[in-house]
Structure formats: structure tokens, C-alpha cells
Amino acid sequence: MFMFDVVIIGGGPAGVTAALRARELGASVAIVERYTLGGTCTNDGCVPTRVLAKAARLMRDTQQFADYGLFLAERPTVDFGRVLQRTQQVVYEMHEKKQLLSHLDEVGIEVYSQVGNATFVDPHTILLEDGRTIEGQKFVLCVGGSPRRLPFPGGEYALTHSDVWTLDHLPKTVAIVGTGATGCQLASIFEAFGSQVTLLELAPRILLSEDELIADTIAQEFTKHGMAVMTGIDGIERIERRDGLNHLNYKDRGEIKTLAVEAIILAVGWPGNLDALNLAAAGVEVNRNYIQVDDYLQTSASHIFAAGDITGRMMLVQSASYQARVAVENALLDTSQVAQHRLVPHGGFTDPEYGGVGYTEVQAREKYDCAVAVVPYADLDRAVIDGQPVGFCKLIVDRQTHLVLGAHVVGEQAVEVVSMVSAGMAGGLRVEQLADLEIAYPTFAAVVGLAARQLVRDLRIVPVVPEWRALHQVRGAEWERLD
Ligand SMILES: Cc1cc2nc3c(=O)[nH]c(=O)nc-3n(C[C@H](O)[C@H](O)[C@H](O)COP(=O)(O)OP(=O)(O)OC[C@H]3O[C@@H](n4cnc5c(N)ncnc54)[C@H](O)[C@@H]3O)c2cc1C
């Protein structure tokens, strides 16, 4: 007889969801968190980053004041210390809102938080740093990841996003190495506050996992805002600290170059928190930096499952919670559910914002005969009203079935817009059904209707007389039109 039916290790979105779902299914549950419940999401990732993005956005909005007849006596200046205080205040408010500790406690979950690392001593027992042991019949490992550091000389002078919350002033010059979601969001934030930002990337383009048009558009906009975007570099050589600045030596097309900046931020990956767990004692195999799981999120030890960032699959909050539900149900109910990430709307709060769901155009064309429409935000009445014409909505559909395969958006509320398309995709809407939706006016979401209706014309699902086509009226008979 074990102390608990299921022990969850890690108290982020995956761990908390797993604990609650396991309890909902009637199991006796313990959750173990080494630091504070809430994980990366609340304490170090989405929440504080989103607060900075909001502050950056407010800063940018002031640039539009005069266009709308609003005047500030002076241009706003950034009190970076107060901005950072606000991030910590909102983190606190998020904890107050969620009341995770008392909520978990009230529903009968045994909470071990602020206990340091949990370590396996045998397949059914973990040891806490204070010497207590906890036994579980089953385990769900939800230990997340941490920012990767690179082992070049002077690497200790580089920061990660986690160091941003405790900066003592706004750096005038910032180099950001890595142009995934975190690197690009930080770049946008620092640029809005007035820092001179340089982005460095080994890959040939930024935002490598996004649709190419998203990456190209964001890179162009970043450049327009005055950032330097250096892609395709060979690598970072070293950092030397001299004269109060960090000198970043990097190799670019075989040539060593130096960039002298106040702050260097690495955003180059997110390996799993494996080290402390002593997984060998539990018979759990790892695959490079993550726990190896099968389609059911089961590890090589049949009573141990994993969910969230530690599986190395989809490093997003919504995916962590989804995996947690699947892992717990498979662990407790033997449901053999496959964890699929068929539709994962996601994005970044850059300026401009971007979002995507489903296949990129390149991926879609590898598998399907596709039709693609790209409608500029400038076509939207709402974009004109709000003075935010930058962006586009790309919709990709299968010519045979007319099902939507992917949507990629740059511009205002891009993440919300792709979330709407995602709901349609999940419901199996064909493009002609999407085209007929009476989407509220004037909204940014209306761009989806414009793209869908362009496709139904291109695919000849609705009749258009040849004379009209000859007029090159590609956007068709639309109330909201550019010209
Ligand atoms: C800067 C940044 C911004 C982000 N923004 C977004 C966003 O806007 N939207 C989005 O969807 N995602 C975002 N993410 C990703 C998101 O934060 C993660 O996908 C999510 O937190 C994963 O949840 P998790 O529960 O798997 O891991 P985590 O949230 O990392 O939680 C894991 C927990 O396990 C604990 N732990 C680790 N090892 C042990 C151990 N041995 N014993 C006990 N406890 C342990 C850790 O302390 C941690 O609290 C962002 C990430 C970063 C870094």
C-alpha cells in the first residue's frame, strides 16, 4: 500500500492541472514543488513577460496620441524600476487570484511546496531535500525546463530572460541571442522602452518554426523600428567585459565581429529539468534533454508518466495542461488516449503581434494540393480606424476537401484571430462555411472572412463571371476593401 495513488512532481500548469484532474478522478494525490506553485508560467515566463509587453504597448500607443487629437505635456519616459515592480505586483496578483495552495489543499491534495528538488530513490519513492520521503503508486513528472546557457568563454556575463526581472536599470544597448518567441518578444519590449537592440541568430531566419511570411514580416518590422537583425551567423565565440560594457565576439560568414553592449540576453533553448530527479533510480529513460514518452505520455517505467515542457513536445501552457489531463487519465483510467497536438494556436506579443495555427505553407504544400490567400490588414476597416494597418492573414486550405489547414497572422490581436480560426478548424469547417460566417464588424477577426471569401472565389466555389476576373478584382465584392 503506497502513501498516495499518484504523486505529481512540479507545480506549474502541467503539475497543477494533473493534480486537480487526478483528484477529480478520486485518487489520493500529492504534488511536490521545489519553489513556488505556479511554475515558469506565473513566476518567470508568460505572466511577467506579458506585463512587460503591456508596458511596451502603452509606450508605443503614446506615439498615436497626436493622430487622435490627444496631447501629453511631455513624451513619457520609462522608469524601468517601476516597470519591473509592476511585473512582480502582477505575479503577486496572479497568485492571489489563483490561490493555488489553498485551492489544492481544500480539494484534498497534499501539497509539498518550497521543499527543494524531489529525487527518486527507487521506482516508487522520492526523497525531499528536508529528508522526508513520499511513496506513490503512480507518478506524473511535470518538472518543466530552464533557460539554456551556452558554454563559450565569458558566458557567465550573459543573462537569460529570468535575469530581466532584477535588472537595476534599462540597458541602453542590448544584444539578444536567439530569435524564437522569447528572444523576439524581449527584443520588441526593449526596443519600445528605447534600448538599441541587436538580434543574433544562427538560423537563416528569425522565428524558425513559424510560417516564413510571419518571420519575414516580423524581421522587416523590427528593422523598420531600428533594430539590427543578424541571421545566419556562424556562432558566438566569447564575451569579454571591458570599460563597463560586454563585448560580444561572434563569427559571421567566417569573420569575427564584435558588438559592445550593456546587456546580452541568451534565449537559445529550454532544456528539461532532469538533473535533480535521479531518473535512473526509477528506470525512466531520457532522450537528450527531455523525458522520453510514448504517444500516451508514458515513460519507460510503466507507472510513470510525464507532461508539459519536460516532454520536449509543445512548450506552451495550453499544451502542458492538455498533456497533464491526458497523462493522468491514461495513468489512472488506462484510457490509452494519444496526446496529439493537432491544433495549437500560439503566437508572440511582439510589435506587431503574430500568431499561427496548423500547418505552415511549406508544411502544407508537402502534403496537400493547397490554395493560399493572403489578405493585408490594410484591407480592414478596423485597421484604418485604429491606425494599425501593418500585418496580414494567410489562410491555407486543401483544394480537395476545402478544409482549412493553417492560418498565420501578423498584426493587431493576431493571437486572438488565429484562435478563432482554430475553433473553426477543430469543428471541421470548410472554407466556404468560414466565408459565410457573419464575423462582427469592425474587428480584426473580420480579416479571416476576407481571406476565406478570397479563397472561395479563387477555388471557384462561388460563381464569378470572367469579365470580373479580367478586371483583376481578386478581392472580390467586399464591403471592406483596400481599393
Ligand atoms: C519568457 C517566457 C514566456 C512565455 N510565454 C508564454 C506564453 O505567452 N504562452 C504560453 O503558452 N507559454 C509561454 N511560455 C511557456 C510556458 O511558460 C511553459 O510552456 C509552461 O510553463 C510549461 O508548464 P510546465 O508545467 O510543463 O512547466 P513549468 O511551468 O516550468 O513548471 C515546472 C515546475 O516544476 C518544478 N520543478 C522542477 N524540477 C523539480 C524537482 N526535481 N522537484 C520539484 N519540483 C521541480 C519547477 O520549480 C517548476 O515550478 C513562456 C515561457 C517563457 C520562458
Side-chain angles (χ1 to χ4, degrees):
M1 184 73 180
F2 296 102
M3 284 166 72
F4 296 99
D5 295 333
V6 58
V7 175
I8 315 290
I9 307 181
V16 170
T17 309
L20 290 169
R21 182 69 187 124
R23 192 72 195 113
E24 207 172 33
L25 292 172
S28 60
V29 185
I31 183 167
V32 183
E33 165 56 52
R34 61 181 175 184
Y35 303 142
T36 308
L37 288 169
T40 303
C41 174
T42 306
N43 301 306
D44 182 51
C46 330
V47 173
T49 308
R50 183 69 203 128
V51 175
L52 287 187
K54 167 77 179 173
R57 177 58 197 253
L58 288 172
M59 193 71 193
R60 280 187 211 108
D61 281 352
T62 63
Q63 292 166 12
Q64 284 193 303
F65 277 17
D67 297 341
Y68 289 80
L70 306 171
F71 292 91
L72 275 180
E74 288 171 26
R75 249 189 110 237
T77 53
V78 181
D79 181 337
F80 195 55
R82 295 272 285 271
V83 173
L84 293 181
Q85 259 177 30
R86 175 74 183 171
T87 65
Q88 296 318 301
Q89 185 194 332
V90 175
V91 168
Y92 172 80
E93 283 173 17
M94 200 56 77
H95 283 294
E96 287 289 293
K97 169 188 167 272
K98 291 183 187 284
Q99 294 290 336
L100 285 177
L101 191 58
S102 54
H103 178 48
L104 293 167
D105 188 49
E106 267 165 28
V107 298
I109 294 168
E110 201 68 41
V111 182
Y112 299 83
S113 68
Q114 315 261 23
V115 292
N117 282 309
T119 304
F120 277 100
V121 289
D122 68 45
H124 287 280
T125 314
I126 52 170
L127 174 68
L128 306 187
E129 286 186 10
D130 60 11
R132 282 181 290 176
T133 55
I134 302 171
E135 291 171 2
Q137 187 179 15
K138 305 223 163 146
F139 286 81
V140 185
L141 308 181
C142 306
V143 291
S146 303
R148 172 176 285 128
R149 291 201 150 270
L150 298 175
F152 51 76
E156 67 274 16
Y157 298 127
L159 310 174
T160 70
H161 80 275
S162 298
D163 301 306
V164 168
W165 325 126
T166 50
L167 283 175
D168 56 11
H169 68 285
L170 177 69
K172 288 195 182 68
T173 46
V174 185
I176 296 174
V177 183
T179 60
T182 298
C184 284
Q185 289 183 110
L186 289 176
S188 241
I189 287 162
F190 279 108
E191 183 271 327
F193 291 157
S195 304
Q196 175 59 50
V197 177
T198 304
L199 273 166
L200 297 130
E201 171 62 60
L202 267 71
R205 63 176 169 95
I206 68 168
L207 294 170
L208 195 60
S209 57
E210 302 298 334
D211 189 272
E212 258 177 68
L213 190 55
I214 286 189
D216 293 348
T217 308
I218 297 289
Q220 273 167 23
E221 290 302 316
F222 278 6
T223 309
K224 271 193 218 160
H225 295 181
M227 290 186 218
V229 181
M230 332 274 279
T231 52
I233 67 163
D234 305 330
I236 304 296
E237 296 283 304
R238 61 178 64 243
I239 300 174
E240 289 160 6
R241 187 165 274 183
R242 287 195 309 275
D243 314 323
L245 288 178
N246 293 298
H247 295 252
L248 178 69
N249 287 0
Y250 64 98
K251 203 187 249 184
D252 187 13
R253 283 125 192 119
E255 198 185 321
I256 301 287
K257 295 182 177 168
T258 304
L259 194 64
V261 288
E262 272 188 53
I264 298 167
I265 302 174
L266 299 182
V268 289
W270 193 249
N273 292 323
L274 295 171
D275 293 348
L277 284 173
N278 188 25
L279 290 169
V284 173
E285 283 172 20
V286 300
N287 184 1
R288 297 179 59 187
N289 296 311
Y290 304 100
I291 290 177
Q292 191 173 311
V293 287
D294 62 15
D295 287 348
Y296 314 105
L297 301 174
Q298 195 166 25
T299 72
S300 49
S302 60
H303 67 295
I304 302 181
F305 290 70
D309 285 5
I310 192 59
T311 64
R313 293 186 166 191
M314 274 288 168
M315 309 234 186
L316 293 165
V317 170
Q318 61 271 36
S319 306
S321 300
Y322 162 71
Q323 285 189 0
R325 289 190 292 272
V326 171
V328 162
E329 287 169 22
N330 285 343
L332 296 178
L333 304 176
D334 286 328
T335 43
S336 299
Q337 291 176 69
V338 171
Q340 309 171 340
H341 295 282
R342 205 172 64 81
L343 288 175
V344 187
H346 63 277
F349 303 106
T350 45
D351 175 31
E353 195 171 305
Y354 69 88
V357 63
Y359 290 118
T360 64
E361 186 173 342
V362 169
Q363 291 166 342
R365 288 196 186 283
E366 278 168 11
K367 297 189 176 184
Y368 299 91
D369 180 16
C370 311
V372 176
V374 178
V375 171
Y377 257 43
D379 272 10
L380 284 175
D381 289 1
R382 176 61 184 273
V384 175
I385 293 165
D386 280 17
Q388 300 285 359
V390 172
F392 65 84
C393 169
K394 177 191 275 196
L395 214 53
I396 306 164
V397 301
D398 179 352
R399 282 180 183 274
Q400 268 193 338
T401 61
H402 298 175
L403 290 172
V404 181
L405 302 171
H408 305 279
V409 177
V410 167
E412 286 289 285
Q413 299 179 19
V415 184
E416 315 280 340
V417 173
V418 296
S419 297
M420 189 192 81
V421 182
S422 165
M425 289 167 77
L429 279 194
R430 280 171 286 115
V431 67
E432 51 270 38
Q433 293 169 300
L434 203 52
D436 279 347
L437 283 181
E438 296 173 52
I439 300 171
Y441 174 91
T443 59
F444 290 101
V447 76
V448 175
L450 289 181
R453 287 190 294 277
Q454 182 174 315
L455 281 164
V456 295
R457 292 187 185 94
D458 292 350
L459 291 170
R460 297 172 196 261
I461 297 169
V462 294
V464 177
V465 296
E467 293 84 348
W468 181 272
R469 286 194 196 280
L471 287 171
H472 301 291
Q473 296 287 358
V474 283
R475 297 202 183 94
E478 294 286 351
W479 166 249
E480 294 196 62
R481 288 184 23 180
L482 185 60
D483 45 42

